[in-house]
Amino acid sequence: MAADSKPYDGPLLISAPGKVILFGEHAVVYKKTAIAASLGLRSYLYLENRSDNVIHLELPDVGLSRSWNLHDLPQPLPYAGSADDSHHPLDMPAELKQQLMSLIIGDDYDKNPAKEQAALAFLYLYISLVTPGDVRGLSVSVKSTLPVGAGLGSSAGFAVVLATALLIHFGHIVVPTKTVAEDQVQDRSEEREQALSQVNRWAFKAEQVIHGNPSGVDNAVASYGGAKRYTKGEGFASLRGFKSLRLLLTNTTVPRSTAVLVAGVGDKCRNFPNVMNPIMDAVQAISDDCASLFERHADGEVSKEQVVTRIEDLFDLNHCLLSAMGVSHPSLEQVRNITRQHGLRTKLTGAGGGGCAVTILRDGEFAKSVGFFYLSSANPLTLQIPHKKRLMPSFQI
Ligand SMILES: Nc1ncnc2c1ncn2[C@@H]1O[C@H](COP(=O)(O)OP(=O)(O)OP(=O)(O)O)[C@@H](O)[C@H]1O
Ligand SMILES: C[C@@](O)(CCO)CC(=O)[O-]
Ligand SMILES: [Mg+2]
């Protein structure tokens, strides 16, 4: 628990953005650089205390509504406040995993992996973050404006709002409140950084439960927002020169699972290392080219139009490499073909296998599709605390 923090008793309303990966999905799992940015579509969590001993989880996006008696939950795991990220959550003792699964399976088990992974991520974070002796009942609901399982980081948005809510509720991070007197207001940027790093770290653990082997790019974008380059093990670096891009997102609505697709690429890497390593290196070269393109634009060496023209070619190259990794899908190729007939370039985004495709648009081009978003350079995690049934103005942690 942070030095001056204590359990937070009020209700919480938390939101976190989704993301679009421009370049580097899958290769980022193998320590190559990805270029990603947050989206204006978000996941929302509402948490409130209960007067009984019940922990209630409401996840309408995956059709889950479950209640557990607090006393039926496993013993809290010792809270690791400092960085101890050596163990994978799914390597928990078999007995504990069995205990958690029996809570999830219950009487109405319908073998739905989306529900199972979401509930397991919640319970894992709950027993990791709950303060021993805390007997407050709790209701947690999460609803997203992101399509779930479509490549726009719904799992990371879910992970970030859960981690933020539980870290605040159990007093591991401090919430800036309106009660701080004007003259006591100090520069809280260090505190904010520490809070965000805790959020990101615990969200990564929830992503590990859902994805198996995530790179951390999605939860980092959902925690910090903005447009960045990300390399596993090194973290985020700024993308100098990036201002905005016009993108068209098309959801093929073909369902897929990031965990399964990431595992498939892993199999290929193990079976064909001499083929896959150069493919991953080529993706690194694409991300480097994109980053240097924005820099040259910032230095006035290339125009916005030249930036877009080169990104169009990089989209094609990256998509074809992803296809070689085995993560395209006929529906994604169809989006590519149709947009190509209109002179537009498209690649898959996120884990592929269905889900969303991203098309780059030129300034002035009219997007006829409904899924049109501006990719903004700043869209950080925002946090709202409802106060006396009124929403306070949102602020950022
Ligand atoms: N709003 C939500 N409510 C409950 N569970 C969610 C929600 N959003 C995501 N999840 C969990 O995350 C899973 C989807 O994660 P997955 O990583 O496969 O897709 P994604 O994150 O949308 O795409 P990508 O990882 O390619 O960006 C769901 O099956 C569910 O377990
Ligand atoms: C496919 C992947 O690279 C991106 C999913 O949005 C997986 C990851 O980085 O965790
Ligand atoms: Mg995901």
Side-chain angles (χ1 to χ4, degrees):
M1 203 181 285
D4 58 344
S5 62
K6 55 183 190 321
Y8 183 78
D9 249 337
L12 291 166
L13 178 61
I14 316 258
S15 81
K19 57 88 224 223
V20 138
I21 297 186
L22 291 182
F23 299 109
E25 48 276 269
H26 287 288
V28 67
V29 175
Y30 301 92
K31 300 199 169 169
K32 307 302 175 194
T33 302
I35 309 268
S38 52
L39 272 180
L41 297 172
R42 307 179 77 89
S43 298
Y44 296 85
L45 174 148
Y46 184 67
L47 176 153
E48 61 185 346
N49 283 318
R50 300 172 62 105
S51 52
D52 53 17
N53 287 331
V54 167
I55 304 293
H56 180 75
L57 182 63
E58 191 73 32
L59 305 176
D61 293 334
V62 293
L64 182 134
S65 176
R66 294 303 289 264
S67 291
W68 299 284
N69 189 306
L70 202 85
H71 304 295
D72 292 336
L73 296 185
Q75 287 297 309
L77 296 173
Y79 171 67
S82 58
D84 166 25
D85 296 321
S86 45
H87 75 278
H88 194 292
L90 295 180
D91 291 338
M92 67 179 87
E95 198 187 324
L96 174 59
K97 182 132 187 243
Q98 208 177 356
Q99 219 179 336
L100 291 175
M101 287 311 294
S102 66
L103 288 168
I104 293 166
I105 288 169
D107 298 332
D108 57 347
Y109 188 46
D110 57 2
K111 288 198 172 61
N112 179 327
K115 286 187 195 182
E116 196 175 296
Q117 286 162 346
L120 189 59
F122 169 79
L123 287 173
Y124 177 79
L125 285 194
Y126 181 88
I127 60 168
S128 300
L129 298 178
V130 63
T131 323
D134 191 315
V135 287
R136 289 175 295 168
L138 209 57
S139 282
V140 173
S141 318
V142 181
K143 181 92 189 88
S144 190
T145 55
L146 289 157
V148 172
L152 301 184
S154 72
S155 62
F158 175 68
V160 165
V161 292
L162 271 187
T164 310
L166 295 176
L167 281 163
I168 292 172
H169 183 74
F170 293 118
H172 300 297
I173 59 177
V174 187
V175 188
T177 62
K178 285 270 170 179
T179 53
V180 177
E182 281 290 309
D183 58 354
Q184 290 175 336
V185 174
Q186 54 201 358
D187 179 12
R188 304 190 86 165
S189 59
E190 199 181 316
E191 204 172 87
R192 179 179 179 276
E193 272 315 303
Q194 277 173 7
L196 282 176
S197 119
Q198 287 285 60
V199 165
N200 188 32
R201 193 178 144 230
W202 286 98
F204 179 67
K205 288 189 178 286
E207 276 277 80
Q208 285 182 309
V209 173
I210 295 170
H211 274 201
N213 183 21
S215 65
V217 62
D218 293 359
N219 51 281
V221 176
S223 300
Y224 293 96
K228 301 267 182 0
R229 45 187 296 170
Y230 175 89
T231 316
K232 189 177 174 180
E234 292 172 23
F236 261 165
S238 69
L239 207 51
R240 192 170 75 83
F242 176 86
K243 288 200 184 71
S244 69
L245 285 176
R246 296 181 76 212
L247 300 174
L248 176 70
L249 293 176
T250 306
N251 189 352
T252 63
T253 70
V254 172
R256 80 314 163 273
S257 149
T258 300
V260 170
L261 289 150
V262 168
V265 175
D267 286 344
K268 272 210 163 66
C269 287
R270 268 185 300 281
N271 290 335
F272 303 99
N274 296 338
V275 178
M276 294 299 282
N277 290 344
I279 291 178
M280 298 300 174
D281 289 342
V283 176
Q284 176 70 54
I286 289 173
S287 291
D288 288 344
D289 195 295
C290 171
S292 100
L293 193 60
F294 288 133
E295 299 221 344
R296 283 186 286 137
H297 178 54
D299 295 338
E301 291 168 24
V302 290
S303 67
K304 179 75 184 284
E305 210 193 321
Q306 286 169 314
V307 168
V308 174
T309 302
R310 195 162 175 94
I311 288 182
E312 285 179 338
D313 287 340
L314 294 174
F315 262 32
D316 265 342
L317 288 166
N318 197 169
H319 181 87
C320 292
L321 293 170
L322 285 160
S323 180
M325 291 179 210
V327 298
S328 189
H329 184 271
S331 62
L332 290 162
E333 296 306 324
Q334 201 182 353
V335 179
R336 269 170 60 75
N337 290 338
I338 293 169
T339 51
R340 191 64 193 247
Q341 284 161 24
H342 297 274
L344 302 170
R345 308 289 187 89
T346 299
K347 69 178 271 293
L348 69 84
T349 186
C356 285
V358 56
T359 305
I360 184 153
L361 301 175
R362 287 167 180 277
D363 281 345
E365 239 156 14
F366 177 64
K368 292 201 183 89
S369 163
V370 283
F372 172 55
F373 304 98
Y374 246 110
L375 182 60
S376 119
S377 61
N379 189 5
L381 171 72
T382 63
L383 168 73
Q384 296 176 322
I385 300 181
H387 178 60
K388 291 185 185 158
K389 298 211 166 123
R390 261 189 57 233
L391 287 188
M392 309 255 295
S394 76
F395 54 84
Q396 295 165 10
I397 61 167

